Amino acid sequence: MQIWRSLASVNRLGHRPYSSKASVSRCAQILQASKTGPCQFEDQEVKINGFIRSVRKQKRFAFAEISDGSTVEPLQAILKPAQAADLSTGAAVEISGLWKACPPGKEQTHELQTTDVTVVGASDPETFPIQKKYQSPEFLRQIPHLRIRTPFNSLLSRFRSECMFQLGNVFHSHPNGAFTQVQPPLITSSDCEGAGETFTLAPRGAATPTAENEHFFRAPKYLTVSSQLHLEAYAAELGNVWTLTPVFRAEKSDTPRHLSEFYMLEAEVNFMSDLASLTGLVEHMLRDLTRRLYNTPVGQEILSAKRSGETGQEASAEAGSLRQRWTDLMDGPEWARITYTHAVEQLQRAVSENGASFEHPPTWEGGLQLEHEKYIVEVLHQGRPVFVTDYPKSVKPFYMAPSEVTESSNTSRETVACFDLLLPEVSEVAGGSLREHRLPDLIQNMREHGLIKSRQLPESDKPAPEEPLYPYLSPDEDLSHLQWYADLRRWGSAPHGGFGLGFDRFLGYLSGVSSVRDIVSFPRYFGRADC
Amino acid sequence: MQIWRSLASVNRLGHRPYSSKASVSRCAQILQASKTGPCQFEDQEVKINGFIRSVRKQKRFAFAEISDGSTVEPLQAILKPAQAADLSTGAAVEISGLWKACPPGKEQTHELQTTDVTVVGASDPETFPIQKKYQSPEFLRQIPHLRIRTPFNSLLSRFRSECMFQLGNVFHSHPNGAFTQVQPPLITSSDCEGAGETFTLAPRGAATPTAENEHFFRAPKYLTVSSQLHLEAYAAELGNVWTLTPVFRAEKSDTPRHLSEFYMLEAEVNFMSDLASLTGLVEHMLRDLTRRLYNTPVGQEILSAKRSGETGQEASAEAGSLRQRWTDLMDGPEWARITYTHAVEQLQRAVSENGASFEHPPTWEGGLQLEHEKYIVEVLHQGRPVFVTDYPKSVKPFYMAPSEVTESSNTSRETVACFDLLLPEVSEVAGGSLREHRLPDLIQNMREHGLIKSRQLPESDKPAPEEPLYPYLSPDEDLSHLQWYADLRRWGSAPHGGFGLGFDRFLGYLSGVSSVRDIVSFPRYFGRADC
């Protein structure tokens, strides 16, 4: 079925109607076919809609590099000087001609012998900010709407797309049964992490509410920081669920690892009662995803693309170490699992025995700083992925289940069944835990975290008889906006667990781009939300 | 590779460790295999993690219906009275036994002869709000976190998941080349529709900014109402792009067709210069999606599922008309295209000649009301999809390109190259247009829509020499936060177009659910954002 009809009649836009002789091909299709044996396009008329990446005008011929966003590699066209007269960098053209093999020794295998070229959108090369020369990441970040048009950033967009597609395949064909992809709400009542760094929302121009019922939703609402709580509701019915959804943090941190809006891949599994199953799920998922990407053209493009530095990617990416990174992910030995307590001991030993020095001396109570994480993954584990498990209960959110084993007889050293996955360069890329699925224990945790409100009791100091007490609560306690979450534990609550992965960070790791500000097309962070 | 390890040792949660004899199967897998010829599970030990949907206790035997969220159909287990003693509706169980064929004449082909059952999460049937009896949509909307657990709502979650997966396939394997899936920002500067019904955002607890630079992002920001403008930036490089992303409207409308947060499927195509190509793209995409869904188990479940009314679905969905709806989408004749002007004439004729009556008499200037749309699709086009094209310029946004042809010599009747796709029951489900890709014309449109601000001129009434004038602007005009969008027309702008489809509305159409409040698991609308 021909779905994009050519215009047979006069074109309203004043330029010539599309040729009906040849349908439009994509550069990727033509160039790929030209590399792999007999090429079905050879000596045929082909037609491209694309952009002039560069043009060289000589006396007898002109040469233009054409791209159409389908591959980083340009397609070379040879033109008569008259045909090239109006061509300039950036111009949008419809170009057609014969696809001819080049004599051996030329850089390209084929070139387009142009029969016809029409400029549909001119470009003034004097003012066009995207030039072929090196442009710094800082400069390009100021023009994200045009940054997309540099070859490597264009490739990054296609790579992200392929990641999303392959992620769908990973979960759809999971050996333990398909995971259900869900779309949890972004407007929520609670701050999952308890960190308080959320955005509130209100209708534009609305007066600041002075009473609860003046809020648009009859109560204050926030942009989600994690979909975990809702995923637990889905998993309680569907078993295995996942989502890839934007999350928001109103953090003022100015680092290449943080954004105010970013995509989080989250999954939740019901009937899961040990942490090894959870880290196994994460490892399997990331290995499977990487392997699938490796077998796609765009995956290979990322591994071999020329990098001119315009996305601040690590220099190391040039040197074949990116390929090693992928190989480690796909085919390397099982990733290490070490407990937090063990990690801290190793860090302390590194200080006392190997002269390692940290800004923050490692202590069990102090948690892991970025410098500690980097040392763990890069020095102690030779740059291979590592799961750090069982962190102190005191530094983690209320919903985490206790560890299966305790390493210390010191009861003040309570730990929870959780993990952080550390990768070189990006450090923490994923975190997850088993969830406290027992109602009394969950409520006790909430109480300890100050999440249970006290409420006005009626005159008699007793609840009205028609309002039965919530289990495990005293009459003056109120679960407030988290009652629905506690509800999930009341009727058929099974052990379960899940994780969240910073999707943009992981894309940066796979593509060798060190700042999430260069991985996300339109990055939002403190003080910046251009376009 | 075994990825979810069984616990071999004592389980920290106090219940017995998972059996290592049989790995866990999903109900869908077992029941599907039992219907199609020889069943590999027959006479084998199987193990299910699921929930008790109902239990009947008799003197010598007990019967339990088990579900695990993988299919609407329950799996029947037969137990000894002692095994069933602790079972109640909603309880989470690990159950295993032999999968035995039933004698002919029984409702089910097989049943589970239970050898072992463990309640991992008890349920109090007295208080469990999800009962097997009929429960009204209004009641269930108050408990969205538990509503997911009703069989039809559970099915809707899996159906949405399959739609997303198949949508990925539709775009990945598009005959005109793969579309790139992008993730445009949700935090934006502009209100795409110019309607003003947006949400603003601010860090929780922040004081109301009194100066521009006190904003978190140094300027006021809004939650996106459409990703179109950003999609145009992507399409200008990548050619064909799409996204499935949440959008937000601070509308106070109280209808079954509107939410404050919903998913929009949007696509944009560069080098597209006629409206017929755009409607062709939409028709092809929806037919392809429906056909792919039809060929999946969950698509067939939606078509045959028992409906007890708990999602307010149309009664008509029962009567085979849902199947007809799908058939029309997949295999029906080409969908009608009529111009807006023609549609208004037909409505006016319906009034004058056929005695049709409308609350708002149809006029060319007045636009189409819901009652008009319903008449067009249900009466004039016998309930088949119809594209209404070329609406008056005066009722449409600034970015639309002029129509290719004008039907009227009346120059005050300017129209634009756009469409609305109308379906029965849901009415408008998609809308799109060609975009004005010529910079001077776009700027003129922006001027007419009041989107160009005036700015303080320097003392001399002339711009400073180091600041060149923006093309087609006068010195006292400022494109403000839309300058980047105009920029897209400066260097290589080709004719292009795109559309947005209300994903939740379309899911409702395919599944016969009449309110988006019942299609979205956690609906947000004026006054309501539960859980």
Side-chain angles (χ1 to χ4, degrees):
Chain A
M1 184 161 81
Q2 193 194 352
I3 51 162
W4 298 351
R5 277 194 249 159
S6 299
L7 250 188
S9 58
V10 174
N11 192 297
R12 76 181 171 83
L13 297 157
H15 68 268
R16 292 186 311 161
Y18 292 170
S19 158
S20 57
K21 276 191 204 156
S23 65
V24 175
S25 300
R26 301 282 281 170
C27 289
Q29 195 186 359
I30 297 173
L31 292 170
Q32 189 59 36
S34 306
K35 276 181 207 148
T36 53
C39 167
Q40 81 262 31
F41 294 100
E42 197 166 296
D43 298 324
Q44 303 297 309
E45 189 183 348
V46 299
K47 185 166 156 50
I48 302 286
N49 291 338
F51 308 92
I52 304 295
R53 200 180 279 173
S54 68
V55 58
R56 267 185 306 133
K57 298 178 186 177
Q58 298 180 347
K59 217 170 209 172
R60 293 178 49 213
F61 295 107
F63 299 92
E65 287 191 344
I66 317 282
S67 74
D68 66 356
S70 65
T71 169
V72 279
E73 199 183 340
L75 181 148
Q76 173 148 307
I78 178 165
L79 308 97
K80 289 179 207 118
Q83 290 174 318
D86 293 341
L87 302 190
S88 60
T89 302
V93 296
E94 295 168 9
I95 187 167
S96 55
L98 289 176
W99 189 238
K100 292 301 236 181
C102 294
K106 279 218 176 183
E107 206 185 320
Q108 64 280 4
T109 64
H110 294 71
E111 64 188 7
L112 186 71
Q113 290 186 355
T114 308
T115 51
D116 209 7
V117 59
T118 308
V119 175
V120 291
S123 171
D124 172 14
E126 297 298 312
T127 57
F128 189 32
I130 303 300
Q131 301 294 337
K132 225 191 160 182
K133 62 172 188 181
Y134 169 76
Q135 292 176 303
S136 74
E138 292 70 25
F139 169 74
L140 289 169
R141 273 180 213 151
Q142 293 168 27
I143 47 169
H145 59 305
L146 302 174
R147 179 174 68 165
I148 305 170
R149 301 188 189 180
T150 66
F152 190 72
N153 280 293
S154 175
L155 170 58
L156 282 181
S157 290
R158 286 185 293 113
F159 183 60
R160 175 182 288 266
S161 176
E162 191 68 34
C163 279
M164 287 189 270
F165 182 71
Q166 296 301 342
L167 205 50
N169 287 328
V170 165
F171 282 115
H172 202 263
S173 61
H174 198 279
N176 287 48
F179 277 59
T180 304
Q181 187 178 2
V182 297
Q183 295 182 316
L186 274 65
I187 297 175
T188 58
S189 301
S190 60
D191 172 348
C192 177
E193 306 276 327
E197 289 170 326
T198 54
F199 289 104
T200 56
L201 71 166
R204 166 150 73 169
T208 307
T210 52
E212 284 288 289
N213 60 10
E214 288 176 18
H215 288 279
F216 185 88
F217 294 111
R218 293 198 299 198
K221 297 290 163 186
Y222 312 100
L223 287 177
T224 189
V225 294
S226 158
S227 297
Q228 178 204 317
L229 306 191
H230 291 94
L231 287 197
E232 288 186 55
Y234 287 107
E237 165 62 24
L238 299 161
N240 308 333
V241 300
W242 72 285
T243 189
L244 179 63
T245 185
V247 298
F248 304 85
R249 305 267 165 102
E251 286 175 3
K252 294 194 174 173
S253 45
D254 182 22
T255 86
R257 304 172 65 248
H258 294 91
L259 292 175
S260 294
E261 173 182 347
F262 57 100
Y263 269 82
M264 187 100 100
L265 166 62
E266 292 176 274
E268 195 75 23
V269 173
N270 207 4
F271 292 96
M272 174 182 269
S273 57
D274 60 316
L275 195 58
S277 297
L278 183 60
T279 54
L281 169 69
V282 174
E283 179 169 348
H284 174 271
M285 194 269 296
L286 293 180
R287 282 179 186 265
D288 190 15
L289 176 61
T290 309
R291 203 173 288 120
R292 287 170 191 266
L293 286 168
Y294 188 82
N295 292 322
T296 63
V298 70
Q300 289 301 317
E301 277 191 283
I302 280 286
L303 284 169
S304 57
K306 260 197 220 154
R307 285 137 202 274
S308 58
E310 73 269 37
T311 52
Q313 60 272 60
E314 308 127 27
S316 60
E318 290 279 19
S321 71
L322 192 64
R323 200 168 281 272
Q324 186 59 47
R325 181 179 284 188
W326 283 51
T327 308
D328 281 349
L329 282 181
M330 293 185 291
D331 305 319
E334 191 183 22
W335 303 347
R337 274 87 171 152
I338 57 165
T339 64
Y340 171 87
T341 300
H342 188 54
V344 170
E345 284 164 7
Q346 285 190 305
L347 289 169
Q348 289 170 333
R349 205 171 306 131
V351 172
S352 62
E353 295 177 13
N354 301 326
S357 109
F358 298 106
E359 196 184 329
H360 304 87
T363 65
W364 194 88
E365 293 74 16
L368 297 180
Q369 306 294 321
L370 183 59
E371 57 176 341
H372 303 143
E373 292 177 348
K374 284 191 173 294
Y375 192 89
I376 292 169
V377 66
E378 280 161 21
V379 179
L380 298 178
H381 290 88
Q382 298 89 39
R384 296 237 171 72
V386 52
F387 291 100
V388 180
T389 69
D390 300 282
Y391 282 67
K393 184 179 183 182
S394 56
V395 303
K396 289 292 181 183
F398 73 98
Y399 48 72
M400 292 192 178
S403 290
E404 294 155 75
V405 288
T406 40
E407 285 174 292
S408 165
S409 54
N410 183 343
T411 51
S412 70
R413 289 198 162 190
E414 262 187 286
T415 59
V416 282
C418 68
F419 77 86
D420 275 4
L421 172 61
L422 309 183
L423 296 179
E425 302 278 355
V426 289
S427 213
E428 186 205 336
V429 75
S433 77
L434 301 183
R435 321 304 188 185
E436 182 52 78
H437 78 287
R438 300 161 301 183
L439 184 59
D441 305 76
L442 180 76
I443 285 183
Q444 182 54 30
N445 284 354
M446 291 171 72
R447 203 175 272 127
E448 289 169 12
H449 279 79
L451 293 168
I452 297 184
K453 312 263 182 282
S454 63
R455 67 164 157 191
Q456 296 291 2
L457 290 179
E459 294 281 308
S460 65
D461 262 16
K462 280 182 195 157
E466 66 271 28
E467 194 189 347
L469 271 186
Y470 199 88
Y472 310 105
L473 280 196
S474 69
D476 63 340
E477 288 181 321
D478 188 349
L479 288 169
S480 178
H481 61 265
L482 280 173
Q483 181 170 325
W484 71 271
Y485 182 68
D487 270 0
L488 301 178
R489 273 70 178 166
R490 289 188 68 180
W491 302 283
S493 172
H496 60 283
F499 69 90
L501 174 127
F503 188 59
D504 307 299
R505 277 192 200 169
F506 189 65
L507 287 182
Y509 185 68
L510 287 181
S511 48
V513 174
S514 57
S515 172
V516 285
R517 295 174 186 181
D518 298 321
I519 270 290
V520 170
S521 302
F522 296 92
R524 274 81 176 96
Y525 49 99
F526 180 54
R528 292 296 289 273
D530 297 331
C531 302
Chain B
M1 183 160 84
Q2 194 194 349
I3 52 162
W4 297 350
R5 278 194 250 158
S6 299
L7 249 190
S9 58
V10 175
N11 190 297
R12 75 180 173 84
L13 296 158
H15 69 268
R16 291 186 313 162
Y18 292 169
S19 158
S20 57
K21 276 189 203 157
S23 66
V24 174
S25 300
R26 300 283 281 169
C27 289
Q29 193 186 0
I30 297 172
L31 292 170
Q32 190 58 36
S34 306
K35 275 180 206 149
T36 52
C39 167
Q40 81 261 32
F41 294 100
E42 196 166 296
D43 298 325
Q44 303 298 308
E45 188 181 348
V46 300
K47 183 165 158 48
I48 302 286
N49 291 339
F51 308 91
I52 303 296
R53 199 180 278 174
S54 69
V55 58
R56 267 184 307 131
K57 299 177 184 177
Q58 297 180 347
K59 217 169 208 169
R60 292 179 47 214
F61 295 107
F63 300 92
E65 287 190 345
I66 317 282
S67 73
D68 65 357
S70 64
T71 168
V72 280
E73 199 182 340
L75 180 148
Q76 174 149 308
I78 179 165
L79 308 97
K80 291 180 206 117
Q83 290 174 318
D86 292 341
L87 302 189
S88 60
T89 302
V93 296
E94 295 169 11
I95 187 167
S96 55
L98 290 176
W99 189 239
K100 291 300 235 180
C102 295
K106 279 219 176 183
E107 204 185 320
Q108 65 279 4
T109 64
H110 295 71
E111 63 188 7
L112 185 73
Q113 290 186 354
T114 308
T115 51
D116 209 7
V117 59
T118 309
V119 175
V120 291
S123 172
D124 172 14
E126 296 299 310
T127 57
F128 189 32
I130 303 299
Q131 302 294 337
K132 224 191 160 180
K133 63 172 188 182
Y134 169 76
Q135 291 175 305
S136 75
E138 292 72 24
F139 168 75
L140 289 169
R141 274 181 212 149
Q142 294 167 28
I143 47 169
H145 58 306
L146 302 173
R147 178 174 69 165
I148 306 170
R149 301 187 188 179
T150 66
F152 189 73
N153 280 294
S154 174
L155 170 58
L156 281 181
S157 290
R158 286 185 294 112
F159 183 60
R160 174 183 289 265
S161 175
E162 191 68 32
C163 279
M164 286 188 271
F165 181 71
Q166 296 301 341
L167 204 49
N169 288 328
V170 165
F171 281 115
H172 202 264
S173 61
H174 198 279
N176 286 48
F179 278 59
T180 303
Q181 186 177 2
V182 297
Q183 295 184 315
L186 274 63
I187 297 175
T188 58
S189 301
S190 60
D191 173 348
C192 176
E193 306 277 328
E197 288 171 324
T198 54
F199 289 103
T200 56
L201 69 166
R204 165 148 73 169
T208 308
T210 52
E212 284 287 288
N213 61 9
E214 289 177 16
H215 288 279
F216 185 87
F217 295 110
R218 293 196 300 196
K221 296 291 164 186
Y222 312 100
L223 287 177
T224 189
V225 295
S226 158
S227 297
Q228 179 204 317
L229 306 192
H230 291 93
L231 287 198
E232 288 186 57
Y234 287 107
E237 164 62 25
L238 299 160
N240 308 333
V241 300
W242 74 285
T243 190
L244 179 63
T245 184
V247 298
F248 304 86
R249 305 267 166 102
E251 286 175 5
K252 294 193 174 172
S253 46
D254 182 22
T255 86
R257 303 172 65 249
H258 294 89
L259 293 174
S260 295
E261 173 183 346
F262 58 99
Y263 269 82
M264 187 101 101
L265 166 63
E266 291 176 275
E268 196 75 24
V269 172
N270 208 4
F271 292 97
M272 174 182 271
S273 57
D274 60 316
L275 195 57
S277 296
L278 184 60
T279 55
L281 169 68
V282 173
E283 178 168 349
H284 174 271
M285 193 269 297
L286 293 180
R287 282 179 186 265
D288 189 16
L289 176 61
T290 309
R291 202 173 290 120
R292 286 171 191 266
L293 287 168
Y294 188 82
N295 292 323
T296 63
V298 69
Q300 289 301 319
E301 278 190 283
I302 279 286
L303 285 168
S304 57
K306 260 197 218 153
R307 286 136 201 274
S308 58
E310 71 270 39
T311 51
Q313 62 271 64
E314 307 128 28
S316 60
E318 290 278 20
S321 71
L322 191 64
R323 201 168 279 273
Q324 186 58 48
R325 179 178 288 187
W326 284 51
T327 308
D328 281 349
L329 281 181
M330 292 185 292
D331 305 319
E334 193 185 20
W335 302 348
R337 274 89 171 149
I338 58 166
T339 65
Y340 171 87
T341 301
H342 188 54
V344 170
E345 285 165 6
Q346 285 191 305
L347 290 169
Q348 288 171 333
R349 205 172 306 132
V351 173
S352 63
E353 294 177 14
N354 301 324
S357 108
F358 299 108
E359 197 184 328
H360 303 87
T363 66
W364 195 88
E365 294 73 17
L368 297 179
Q369 306 294 321
L370 184 58
E371 57 176 342
H372 302 144
E373 292 178 347
K374 283 191 174 295
Y375 192 89
I376 291 169
V377 66
E378 280 161 20
V379 179
L380 298 177
H381 290 89
Q382 297 88 42
R384 296 235 171 73
V386 52
F387 290 100
V388 180
T389 69
D390 300 282
Y391 282 65
K393 184 179 183 184
S394 55
V395 303
K396 289 292 182 183
F398 72 98
Y399 49 71
M400 291 192 178
S403 291
E404 293 154 75
V405 289
T406 40
E407 286 174 292
S408 166
S409 54
N410 184 343
T411 51
S412 69
R413 288 197 163 190
E414 264 188 282
T415 58
V416 281
C418 68
F419 77 87
D420 275 4
L421 172 61
L422 309 183
L423 297 178
E425 301 279 354
V426 289
S427 214
E428 186 206 336
V429 75
S433 77
L434 301 184
R435 320 305 188 184
E436 183 52 78
H437 77 289
R438 300 162 301 184
L439 184 60
D441 305 77
L442 180 76
I443 286 183
Q444 183 53 31
N445 283 354
M446 290 172 73
R447 205 174 271 128
E448 288 168 12
H449 279 79
L451 293 169
I452 296 183
K453 312 262 182 283
S454 63
R455 65 163 159 191
Q456 295 291 0
L457 289 181
E459 293 280 309
S460 65
D461 261 14
K462 280 184 196 156
E466 66 272 25
E467 194 188 348
L469 271 186
Y470 199 87
Y472 310 104
L473 281 195
S474 69
D476 63 340
E477 288 182 320
D478 187 348
L479 288 168
S480 178
H481 61 266
L482 281 173
Q483 181 170 324
W484 71 271
Y485 182 68
D487 269 0
L488 301 178
R489 274 70 178 165
R490 289 188 69 180
W491 302 283
S493 173
H496 60 284
F499 69 89
L501 174 126
F503 188 60
D504 307 300
R505 277 192 199 169
F506 188 67
L507 287 182
Y509 185 69
L510 286 181
S511 49
V513 174
S514 57
S515 172
V516 285
R517 295 174 186 180
D518 298 321
I519 271 290
V520 170
S521 302
F522 295 92
R524 274 80 177 97
Y525 49 98
F526 181 54
R528 292 296 289 274
D530 298 331
C531 301

